[in-house]
Amino acid sequence: MSNTPIHVVGGGLAGSEAAWQIAEAGIPVVLHEMRRVRGTEAHKTDGLAELVCSNSFRSDDATANAVGVIHAEMRLAGSLIMAMADKHQVPAGGALAVDREGFSAAVTRTLAEHPLVTLERGEVEGLPPEEWGTSIVATGPLTAPSLAESIRAATGEDALAFFDAIAPIVHFDSIDMDKAWFQSRYDKVGPGGTGKDYINCPLDKETYERFVAALVEGDRAAFKEWEGTPYFDGCLPIEVMAERGPETLRHGPMKPMGLTNAHDPETKAYAVVQLRQDNALGTLYNMVGFQTKLKYGAQAEIFRMIPGLENAEFARLGGLHRNTYLNSPVLLDETLRLKARPHVRFAGQITGCEGYVESAAVGLMTGRFTAAERRGETLSAPPQTTAMGALLAHITGGHLAHQEEGGKRSFQPMNVNFGLFAPLDPGAIQKPEGQKRFRGKEKSVAKKAALSRRALADFAAWLAGAETRQAAE
């Protein structure tokens, strides 16, 4: 095996985790971090794995929460980020929160002291050159302009997005289909469509007026100073459209034309909210035209006013913010290699994941893929029954590429959630002992427990298979 180091560009959560996984596999790493030489608008220190927003890694419940499951998978895989988070935990109920300064200092110290890691301070202004050999780019949502331009030059104008306009995404099985129905506007059959490609939620005049008033009055998140205000008519927040007049929405994303309520054909809806399938599994639907800057609590409360969404469970809530990320399903292969330059892999938020642990998990996978490749092995992706495999599948192609009305649908970043997991086999959801049927929310709880059990078992098997192959080499 060559002693040529693998270069990792970016010392955030993903880059730090990727470097650790490679070094722990016995391969030298050069970790490039520009902070100290050049800062960013959001970072305050030059420490590795600095947490620029919250200090929370969110739920640590590995029995019923997809984030908790990915925590557990990362621990099984020897994650540096999870080890340091556990060591620097602060009280936060069921969440895993950390002392951000102690956490970053520990990650920095651990990598700096590793005999196979070399930390180089300085900006890498373009894609890693071929003479570096195998390299990983993990520069995050604040990628420097020179590197971003290099990526675009190598891959094309549509390679990167710089502002993220995201509509809420709902778990399909939480939508009340006794109130909503499937239909495309005017029953139009587009590319790959059936004429029933949208879920439609009807509002009468009174409900619509209350909904618009709630949008206008809703509590909003502010743009950060360095983000600016990137409003343009193609992706106005739903609450900004509502402010333009009470009829704006029902002549825009909530127009009722071309739709007939399958449950009540004689009654014409005053307005309609449409949801469109968001992933290939059909488990997630996004609210069409509902990008928003409302705070999360306000979003959940207001959007549950919509008939059919009273009990909606959100895979993610909406947002509009600066976020540099790749059109990964087009540009990257199944192990996160850049198709145009296969010696380069990407990791972290720039690939189209969101969240601290998701970013670190993608770094972990990228590091393992790269280390296996250096050893001359082929490491398959974790199965989509696992949290990491489900997240990777979304990044590399789990979304739907085309929409019913023609043209490409943009790839959107995503947090890990159970809607990305492969469906359970029939009978996998266990009823409470002694009960013939589920009561209340028991089925939802049992489903999450079954998904969690399967994920951890399958991830452990994936790790064991990788270790067996490595030992045989």
Side-chain angles (χ1 to χ4, degrees):
M1 183 172 64
S2 170
N3 285 325
T4 304
I6 291 170
H7 292 258
V8 178
V9 181
L13 290 157
S16 297
E17 185 65 59
W20 173 257
Q21 293 290 328
I22 294 165
E24 285 293 279
I27 301 166
V29 183
V30 178
L31 178 58
H32 301 263
E33 172 51 56
M34 72 177 185
R35 284 178 291 120
R36 186 182 294 173
V37 175
R38 173 177 176 166
T40 75
E41 303 97 325
H43 289 87
K44 305 299 182 186
T45 76
D46 63 5
L48 302 178
E50 178 185 341
L51 306 182
V52 298
C53 297
S54 167
N55 70 327
S56 175
F57 282 29
R58 310 188 335 269
S59 174
D60 202 36
D61 180 2
T63 66
N65 188 289
V67 178
V69 173
I70 210 167
H71 286 182
E73 291 179 2
M74 292 172 70
R75 290 183 178 111
L76 287 173
S79 165
L80 170 66
I81 294 302
M82 289 307 302
M84 295 302 102
D86 289 337
K87 188 174 181 180
H88 293 274
Q89 184 175 4
V90 297
L96 174 60
V98 304
D99 172 340
R100 68 176 73 227
E101 292 181 2
F103 167 78
S104 175
V107 173
T108 304
R109 182 174 59 254
T110 303
L111 284 169
E113 292 175 353
H114 198 294
L116 292 178
V117 177
T118 300
L119 179 57
E120 288 197 2
R121 298 285 184 171
E123 182 179 355
V124 177
E125 296 189 347
L127 280 172
E130 290 198 26
E131 55 264 31
W132 279 10
T134 303
S135 304
I136 295 170
V137 176
T139 48
L142 300 177
T143 295
S146 57
L147 178 54
E149 184 53 41
S150 176
I151 294 169
R152 285 209 299 181
T155 56
E157 286 298 310
D158 296 331
L160 287 163
F162 294 98
F163 276 96
D164 205 6
I166 300 169
I169 295 174
V170 180
H171 290 276
F172 170 71
D173 60 9
S174 71
I175 300 171
D176 186 351
M177 295 305 294
D178 289 333
K179 295 179 180 178
W181 74 96
F182 282 103
Q183 184 188 7
S184 300
R185 204 177 298 280
Y186 300 107
D187 301 307
K188 182 178 178 181
V189 179
T194 65
K196 295 184 178 182
D197 301 319
Y198 291 79
I199 293 175
N200 300 278
C201 299
L203 290 79
D204 60 23
K205 187 173 188 293
E206 180 183 354
T207 305
Y208 173 79
E209 289 174 346
R210 285 191 290 108
F211 178 71
V212 170
L215 286 175
V216 172
E217 296 167 6
D219 196 11
R220 304 177 191 185
F223 282 103
K224 297 180 176 65
E225 182 179 343
W226 46 268
E227 286 187 303
T229 307
Y231 291 158
F232 53 95
D233 283 345
C235 70
L236 283 175
I238 193 78
E239 64 274 12
V240 172
M241 285 189 274
E243 287 178 336
R244 293 187 170 186
E247 294 293 291
T248 302
L249 291 178
R250 64 183 300 267
H251 290 283
M254 295 177 66
K255 59 181 180 286
M257 286 75 78
L259 298 167
T260 301
N261 189 336
H263 306 297
D264 186 5
E266 302 302 318
T267 301
K268 184 71 175 176
Y270 190 73
V272 172
V273 172
Q274 290 196 306
L275 296 95
R276 182 174 56 212
Q277 187 175 337
D278 197 77
N279 68 338
L281 295 173
T283 54
L284 301 175
Y285 276 71
N286 70 73
M287 299 175 67
V288 178
F290 269 64
Q291 57 274 356
T292 178
K293 283 294 284 183
L294 290 170
K295 290 186 176 178
Y296 285 172
Q299 286 186 50
E301 180 180 350
I302 293 169
F303 296 151
R304 287 181 180 133
M305 295 171 64
I306 298 167
L309 301 185
E310 293 92 343
N311 297 307
E313 292 185 14
F314 295 95
R316 70 164 303 151
L317 288 159
L320 186 66
H321 56 91
R322 179 176 169 182
N323 184 11
T324 304
Y325 65 96
L326 293 164
N327 185 7
S328 293
V330 173
L331 300 175
L332 305 182
D333 71 9
E334 65 278 4
T335 64
L336 301 165
R337 283 182 300 205
L338 185 63
K339 294 175 184 176
R341 296 192 182 180
H343 71 286
V344 177
R345 277 189 170 88
F346 282 84
Q349 282 189 252
I350 197 170
T351 66
C353 65
E354 290 224 331
Y356 291 151
V357 292
E358 290 90 339
S359 180
V362 175
L364 187 154
M365 287 185 282
T366 305
R368 283 180 166 255
F369 290 143
T370 305
E373 185 177 77
R374 173 59 62 85
R375 292 192 299 261
E377 303 166 5
T378 299
L379 179 61
S380 62
Q384 200 172 347
T385 53
T386 67
M388 283 203 219
L391 184 63
L392 181 63
H394 168 73
I395 290 168
T396 59
H399 80 306
L400 294 180
H402 294 276
Q403 62 188 40
E404 180 220 352
E405 296 175 0
K408 291 184 178 179
R409 182 182 306 167
S410 62
F411 168 65
Q412 294 284 7
M414 180 76 76
N415 293 104
V416 69
N417 65 83
F418 283 129
L420 301 179
F421 288 48
L424 290 163
D425 294 329
I429 305 176
Q430 301 172 3
K431 295 183 181 68
E433 189 174 350
Q435 289 183 205
K436 293 183 179 180
R437 60 181 62 87
F438 291 106
R439 299 168 186 160
K441 295 185 177 181
E442 287 179 344
K443 185 173 184 179
S444 176
V445 172
K447 179 181 178 181
K448 291 174 181 177
L451 287 165
S452 300
R453 284 193 303 272
R454 184 186 65 175
L456 293 178
D458 288 358
F459 190 79
W462 177 77
L463 278 178
E467 290 167 0
T468 299
R469 285 191 298 273
Q470 183 178 347
E473 287 293 323

